């Protein structure tokens, strides 16, 4: 639900991916957690995790950012995430079973607890070789952080 996360995803992440991740220079790990009061955030975090069970985490991730205003306003979030699952071409039966699996909810709750232990107060927040990098910083600043971490 975070607009700054959406901004980072649209503007900065593709450049980081192209310059560093795709070439194997940087290993990127996304840890979905829920903070704040964005309506339906927990359900879409779980949907992304369930899409990930079928190798489609990033497809669902990108779709969820593109549709964030739609899902935040949804009164039937379960039906909407199933629609999104169809759009990213994953098996709906497996997806539905995954959404019903209490382990998925527990996984997000564990991520929430880790974020709380790390005193993460806002999103996005990044860790680069243990250094905290808060906020949707521009690519040029992220480049500096990566360069410093590589030394």
């Amino acid at each position: 639900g975070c607009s700054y996360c959406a901004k980072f995803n649209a503007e900065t992440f593709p450049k980081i991916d192209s310059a560093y991740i795709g070439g194997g220079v940087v290993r990127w790990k996304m840890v979905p957690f829920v903070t704040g009061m964005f309506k339906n955030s927990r359900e879409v975090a779980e949907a992304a995790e369930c899409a990930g069970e079928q190798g489609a985490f990033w497809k669902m991730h990108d779709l969820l950012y593109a549709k964030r205003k739609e899902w935040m306003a949804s009164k039937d979030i379960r039906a909407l995430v199933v629609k999104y699952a169809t759009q990213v071409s994953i098996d709906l039966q497996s997806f539905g079973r995954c959404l019903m699996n209490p382990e998925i909810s527990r996984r997000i709750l564990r991520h929430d607890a880790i974020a709380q232990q790390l005193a993460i107060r806002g999103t996005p927040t990044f860790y680069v070789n243990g250094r905290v990098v808060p906020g949707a910083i521009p690519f040029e600043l992220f480049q500096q952080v990566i360069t410093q971490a590589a030394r």
Side-chain angles (χ1 to χ4, degrees):
C2 166
S3 62
Y4 293 106
C5 296
K7 176 181 173 64
F8 174 84
N9 187 63
E11 296 174 8
T12 306
F13 181 77
K15 294 175 185 175
I16 294 171
D17 188 24
S18 176
Y20 299 105
I21 301 166
V25 176
V26 167
R27 180 175 173 260
W28 190 270
K29 179 169 173 105
M30 172 81 167
V31 181
F33 65 94
V34 178
T35 185
M37 303 282 290
F38 298 111
K39 183 180 174 197
N40 299 322
S41 291
R42 187 155 307 278
E43 291 83 356
V44 298
E46 291 173 5
E49 288 289 295
C50 287
E53 298 281 317
Q54 296 186 50
F57 175 85
W58 291 105
K59 286 181 183 178
M60 182 65 86
H61 167 275
D62 292 345
L63 181 61
L64 290 170
Y65 275 121
K67 303 284 190 177
R68 62 183 277 282
K69 289 182 181 177
E70 179 182 49
W71 61 255
M72 284 193 299
S74 178
K75 295 192 185 317
D76 188 357
I77 190 62
R78 289 294 176 182
L80 190 57
V81 297
V82 169
K83 175 184 163 188
Y84 294 160
T86 301
Q87 292 175 8
V88 298
S89 302
I90 58 176
D91 180 75
L92 294 181
Q93 279 190 316
S94 297
F95 182 74
R97 280 193 302 274
C98 181
L99 289 176
M100 299 302 290
N101 182 349
E103 177 52 33
I104 297 301
S105 178
R106 285 193 293 265
R107 184 184 306 166
I108 300 297
L109 288 171
R110 283 192 303 273
H111 295 169
D112 296 351
I114 291 167
Q116 190 171 29
Q117 288 172 348
L118 293 171
I120 294 174
R121 291 184 180 83
T123 55
T125 297
F126 308 94
Y127 281 82
V128 180
N129 280 0
R131 177 180 173 192
V132 179
V133 181
I137 64 173
F139 175 68
E140 294 74 24
L141 289 177
F142 228 108
Q143 263 186 315
Q144 292 174 13
V145 171
I146 292 169
T147 300
Q148 290 169 1
R151 292 184 189 149

